[in-house]
Amino acid sequence: MTVNIAGKNLDITPAIRERIEFKFNKLEKYQVPLINKHAVISTEPNRQFKVEASAAIPGGQLVASAEHDDMYGAITEVYQKLERQLNKQTHKPTARRASHSDRPEVEEEAEA
């Protein structure tokens, strides 16, 4: 599936499109289907680039945004944020949060 890329006050060049698609393709290493991938790149009046990206996954939504002086730096920051969220979602079922099932059972000795 392709990535929907929109630009506000900015033309989307083939290099920008290629970079964003490359970053989304790198997220596929987690083997989780990304549905409805969307990215918006805008320039702020203070000449900072703002990149917002979102993707739906089964059981959740990934959303990230970043501002940076360099557009490619902002794209990289957004990718890192999405990667952290996806990593957390994929490893959530195996996390040991307050699970006492792995704790060895201790038998109490009966005092006579």
Side-chain angles (χ1 to χ4, degrees):
M1 180 177 254
T2 61
V3 180
N4 296 327
I5 303 171
K8 292 183 180 176
N9 303 326
L10 179 75
D11 291 331
I12 303 299
T13 63
I16 296 170
R17 180 174 299 280
E18 181 180 325
R19 177 66 162 241
I20 292 174
E21 288 176 353
F22 174 74
K23 292 296 185 179
F24 269 108
N25 288 336
K26 282 183 75 173
L27 292 175
E28 291 179 1
K29 69 182 176 183
Y30 289 100
Q31 299 177 351
V32 174
L34 297 175
I35 307 162
N36 196 17
K37 299 177 273 190
H38 187 73
V40 177
I41 302 175
S42 61
T43 56
E44 299 297 320
N46 56 3
R47 297 300 302 157
Q48 280 197 333
F49 292 95
K50 183 175 183 180
V51 178
E52 299 171 335
S54 64
I57 59 172
Q61 178 85 11
L62 305 175
V63 178
S65 67
E67 290 186 15
H68 201 273
D69 293 332
D70 179 33
M71 179 178 49
Y72 292 105
I75 292 171
T76 302
E77 283 184 35
V78 165
Y79 161 72
Q80 290 171 347
K81 290 178 181 182
L82 288 174
E83 185 179 31
R84 274 194 298 268
Q85 291 177 26
L86 188 58
N87 187 22
K88 184 177 179 180
Q89 287 291 329
T90 56
H91 291 98
K92 198 175 225 181
T94 60
R96 189 179 165 236
R97 302 211 180 119
S99 173
H100 302 292
S101 62
D102 294 337
R103 190 182 336 169
E105 294 181 19
V106 178
E107 296 180 17
E108 296 181 17
E109 296 179 13
E111 296 181 21

